[in-house]
């Protein structure tokens, strides 16, 4: 099966090369809008296939059912091949090497759970692992090796009650230990990660929307953390940034008001304390969406999103603010991105090898919520929506019509394969061990399986469905105690 999969990928690449040759012989306008399944909730940029070029990974969500992960594999010249896979809870997506094999894995979350999907090192996704089941709408605030055991840990926070945050410590065997650090608050506590002193350990910055709760840094001296209170204003989120020209990382905080201005302030790291710069007001701002050194001057710049909400007299745009190195942000350019670009997110990274970070804007807009857009950094401080090379999309066959019911299950399940042909099915525990596997030799309209067998107890499992076209479909399966 692996050889057949490699042959299929090879064929897709050959078709892409042929399409690229045709497009170069017959010039046409570069495509910068990529179609995806509905609701691309989140994007990340990473070298997924480890060929030296950044790829785009998109998490697409259908009300937390029948989600998918889309890979746009980059050839290094801004040309992309589109591959699509079924996933569970892929609304929000992150990329990090969790198993130390040198390839970034994919971390996802749904309304109450966090998963990760191993990189199969062949432009696809392999085993799925369930990480955390929780209430409180868990978000991910950052990924770093907190306990210095050479495995990346996941810092998370609950955006709804119960409010709090914690660290999922990576045990190195695809399992995680949940260490919750819940603090008393009337609002969600958002942590982020960054090195804020000279000990080469990632520290934790915690912000909150409650004015009486302070913004604070937790200096990492694992297993202990030294708390340093910084401010008492209701700063919603914070970033570790490079604001001035010394060797220490600084902090940038922002407070979106949604109706009215957005406030941004920089805290300059002086080693033993933080010095507050002037607070800046952005009348049409919403929030910081990505931080990067867009003009390669050594200082972090900011991309903010402006959209038509609450009767603001502005077009839906991305605003780029360049850091002048003296706590000042100069507004250079706004880029129009479309009508009613609601709840958009932005990722940044170099996608065409010119050394300047480009922007990927997620298009959660109506009435067509099914695309992402690339804005290309031309190196002069401007972003354009056309590129100097050609973009093709070679779409892999994909169906998202497979359903398992009942789920939760008292001990037996039925599967409707839709238009697909299922060749095998595995039940995997949360550590990735296969407990049982069935093979199917002929197409069936409905598959019914009895799970009341030794080794499968009430709990949470991953159901991995193997299709005839070699796609894998991952479904979370909950087995209840029998009535």
């Amino acid at each position: 099966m692996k050889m057949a999969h490699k042959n299929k990928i090879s064929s897709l690449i050959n078709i892409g090369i042929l399409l690229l040759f045709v497009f170069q012989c017959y010039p046409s306008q570069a495509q910068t809008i990529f179609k995806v399944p509905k609701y691309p909730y989140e994007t990340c940029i990473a070298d997924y296939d480890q060929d030296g070029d950044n790829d785009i990974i998109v998490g697409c969500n259908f009300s937390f059912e029948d989600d998918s992960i889309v890979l746009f594999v980059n050839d290094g010249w801004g040309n992309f091949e589109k591959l699509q896979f079924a996933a569970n809870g892929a609304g929000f997506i992150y990329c990090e090497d969790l198993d130390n094999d040198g390839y970034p894995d994919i971390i996802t979350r749904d309304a109450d759970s966090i998963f990760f999907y191993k990189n199969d090192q062949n432009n696809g996704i392999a085993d799925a692992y369930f990480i955390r089941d929780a209430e409180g709408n868990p978000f991910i605030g950052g990924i770093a090796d907190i306990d210095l055991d050479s495995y990346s840990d996941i810092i998370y926070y609950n955006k709804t009650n119960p409010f709090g945050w914690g660290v999922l410590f990576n045990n190195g065997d695809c399992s995680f230990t949940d260490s919750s650090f819940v603090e008393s608050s009337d609002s969600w506590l958002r942590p982020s990660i960054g090195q804020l002193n000279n000990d080469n350990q990632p520290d934790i910055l915690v912000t909150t929307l409650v004015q009486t709760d302070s913004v604070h840094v937790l200096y990492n001296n694992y297993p202990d953390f030294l708390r340093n209170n910084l401010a008492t204003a209701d700063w919603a989120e914070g970033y570790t940034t490079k604001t001035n020209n010394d060797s220490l990382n600084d902090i940038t905080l922002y407070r979106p008001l949604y109706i009215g201005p957005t406030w941004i302030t920089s805290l300059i790291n002086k080693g033993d304390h933080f010095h507050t710069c002037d607070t800046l007001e952005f009348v049409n701002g919403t929030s910081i969406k990505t931080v990067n050194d867009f003009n390669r001057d050594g200082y972090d710049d900011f991309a903010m999103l402006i959209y038509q909400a609450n009767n603001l007299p502005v077009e839906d745009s991305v605003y780029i603010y360049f850091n002048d190195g003296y706590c000042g942000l100069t507004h250079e350019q706004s880029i129009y991105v479309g009508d009613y670009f609601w709840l958009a997110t932005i990722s940044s990274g170099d996608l065409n090898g010119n050394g300047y970070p480009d922007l990927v804007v997620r298009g959660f807009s109506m009435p067509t919520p099914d695309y992402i857009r690339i804005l290309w950094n031309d190196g002069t401080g401007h972003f354009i929506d056309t590129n100097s090379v050609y973009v093709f999309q070679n779409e892999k066959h994909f169906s998202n019509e497979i359903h398992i019911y009942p789920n939760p299950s008292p001990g037996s399940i039925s599967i409707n394969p839709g238009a697909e042909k299922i060749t095998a099915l595995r039940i995997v525990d949360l550590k990735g061990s296969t407990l049982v596997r069935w093979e199917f030799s002929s197409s069936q309209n409905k598959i019914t399986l009895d799970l009341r067998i030794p080794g499968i107890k009430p709990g949470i499992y991953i159901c991995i469905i193997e299709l005839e076209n070699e796609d894998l479909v991952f479904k979370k399966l909950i087995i209840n105690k029998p009535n």
Side-chain angles (χ1 to χ4, degrees):
M1 181 174 289
K2 288 186 176 180
M3 183 59 67
H5 180 65
K6 289 181 179 179
N7 291 337
K8 180 179 288 188
I9 294 296
S10 178
S11 298
L12 291 174
I13 294 174
N14 290 335
I15 293 172
I17 293 172
L18 176 60
L19 288 173
L20 177 60
F21 176 79
V22 172
F23 283 146
Q24 286 178 329
C25 291
Y26 300 93
S28 60
Q29 183 178 1
Q31 299 177 19
T32 58
I33 295 177
F34 292 174
K35 288 288 186 178
V36 297
K38 287 186 178 180
Y39 306 122
Y41 261 74
E42 197 77 53
T43 64
C44 62
I45 297 175
D47 186 5
Y48 192 78
D49 55 1
Q50 289 295 290
D51 65 349
D53 308 306
N54 281 326
D55 310 301
I56 304 172
I57 301 95
V58 186
C60 300
N61 176 271
F62 299 83
S63 300
F64 296 115
E65 294 180 0
D66 298 326
D67 299 349
S68 61
I69 294 172
V70 181
L71 305 179
F72 289 96
V73 182
N74 188 357
D75 70 352
W77 298 91
N79 306 298
F80 295 86
E81 179 187 2
K82 179 180 177 182
L83 302 174
Q84 196 165 306
F85 304 90
N88 191 59
F92 296 86
I93 195 165
Y94 312 84
C95 298
E96 190 73 27
D97 182 9
L98 293 183
D99 55 2
N100 256 4
D101 64 354
Y103 285 77
D105 305 300
I106 297 176
I107 302 96
T108 71
R109 72 139 190 112
D110 60 15
D112 59 5
S113 302
I114 299 175
F115 299 84
F116 94 85
Y117 296 84
K118 291 189 66 170
N119 188 328
D120 71 355
Q121 303 184 21
N122 195 25
N123 288 345
I125 57 177
D127 294 335
Y129 293 87
F130 180 85
I131 296 179
R132 185 177 191 267
D133 189 18
E135 298 177 355
N137 196 11
F139 274 55
I140 293 177
I143 302 174
D145 184 9
I146 297 295
D147 53 2
L148 301 181
D149 65 351
S150 299
Y151 288 94
S152 293
D153 309 305
I154 300 173
I155 184 171
Y156 71 91
Y157 60 103
N158 291 336
K159 200 171 182 180
T160 56
N161 195 29
F163 302 112
W165 65 278
V167 178
L168 297 165
F169 288 103
N170 189 343
N171 298 320
D173 58 356
C174 299
S175 67
F176 290 77
T177 300
D178 186 357
S179 297
S180 298
F181 298 94
V182 178
E183 300 191 12
S184 176
S185 175
D186 296 326
S187 179
W188 53 281
L189 295 158
R190 187 198 188 281
S192 58
I193 294 177
Q195 183 184 332
L196 291 169
N197 53 12
N198 286 321
D199 62 2
N200 296 319
Q201 298 183 30
D203 305 304
I204 299 172
L205 173 68
V206 179
T207 56
T208 176
L209 285 172
V210 177
Q211 189 168 7
T212 56
D213 288 346
S214 64
V215 175
H216 53 270
V217 172
L218 296 171
Y219 290 111
N220 187 357
N221 188 26
Y222 182 81
D224 299 317
F225 295 91
L226 177 63
R227 176 167 171 160
N228 180 16
N229 294 341
L230 300 180
T232 56
D234 52 343
W235 297 104
E237 295 191 11
Y239 294 89
T240 301
T241 57
K242 190 66 177 172
T243 303
N244 59 1
N245 60 0
D246 62 18
S247 61
L248 296 173
N249 288 326
D250 308 301
I251 294 173
T252 296
L253 304 172
Y254 82 82
R255 174 177 49 188
L257 300 182
Y258 301 106
I259 301 177
T262 291
W263 299 92
I264 295 179
T265 189
S266 292
L267 305 180
I268 302 300
N269 193 344
K270 296 296 185 179
D272 58 351
H273 70 282
F274 286 86
H275 172 72
T276 302
C277 287
D278 292 336
T279 299
L280 306 175
E281 176 183 345
F282 297 90
V283 175
N284 292 328
T286 55
S287 61
I288 296 172
K289 293 299 183 180
T290 187
V291 178
N292 214 321
D293 184 5
F294 293 114
N295 57 359
R296 300 291 301 277
D297 65 352
Y299 305 111
D300 281 332
D301 310 304
F302 304 95
M304 299 177 65
L305 188 77
I306 316 298
Y307 58 89
Q308 293 181 10
N310 303 315
N311 298 317
L312 289 175
V314 295
E315 294 180 331
D316 299 338
S317 302
V318 175
Y319 276 39
I320 307 297
Y321 290 91
F322 291 97
N323 183 350
D324 64 6
Y326 300 97
C327 298
L329 298 176
T330 304
H331 173 214
E332 291 290 343
Q333 186 192 18
S334 65
I335 307 106
Y336 176 71
V337 292
D339 295 326
Y340 198 52
F341 217 69
W342 182 55
L343 291 180
T345 60
I346 305 171
S347 301
S348 58
D350 183 12
L351 294 171
N352 57 2
N354 68 352
Y356 290 89
D358 308 300
L359 299 176
V360 175
V361 184
R362 180 267 277 175
F364 198 80
S365 62
M366 299 297 287
T368 57
D370 57 357
Y371 66 88
I372 62 173
R373 173 173 291 182
I374 298 179
L375 300 174
W376 303 96
N377 187 344
D378 67 1
T380 68
H382 294 82
F383 290 79
I384 56 177
D385 58 5
T386 56
N387 191 16
S388 58
V389 296
Y390 295 93
V391 179
F392 68 90
Q393 296 181 61
N394 189 12
E395 185 165 353
K396 186 178 180 181
H397 172 70
F398 173 78
S399 175
N400 224 351
E401 300 175 352
I402 298 176
H403 300 280
I404 296 178
Y405 57 93
N407 192 8
S409 167
S412 63
I413 58 173
S414 295
I415 303 168
N416 180 2
E420 299 288 359
K421 180 180 178 182
I422 298 176
T423 58
L425 184 145
R426 286 182 283 162
I427 303 298
V428 178
D429 65 17
L430 301 187
K431 293 184 178 181
S433 300
T434 298
L435 302 180
V436 62
R437 185 177 188 271
W438 292 272
E439 293 187 359
F440 310 101
S441 58
S442 60
S443 178
Q444 302 180 48
N445 294 328
K446 180 181 177 181
I447 298 173
T448 301
L449 300 173
D450 189 349
L451 302 179
R452 290 167 293 188
I453 58 179
I456 298 184
K457 302 177 181 179
I460 299 174
Y461 299 89
I462 302 296
C463 182
I464 303 178
I465 301 170
E466 302 175 20
L467 303 182
E468 186 179 37
N469 63 8
E470 298 180 4
D471 280 347
L472 299 179
V473 177
F474 299 86
K475 298 286 185 180
K476 180 170 71 172
L477 175 62
I478 301 175
I479 299 178
N480 290 338
K481 292 182 179 179
N483 297 328

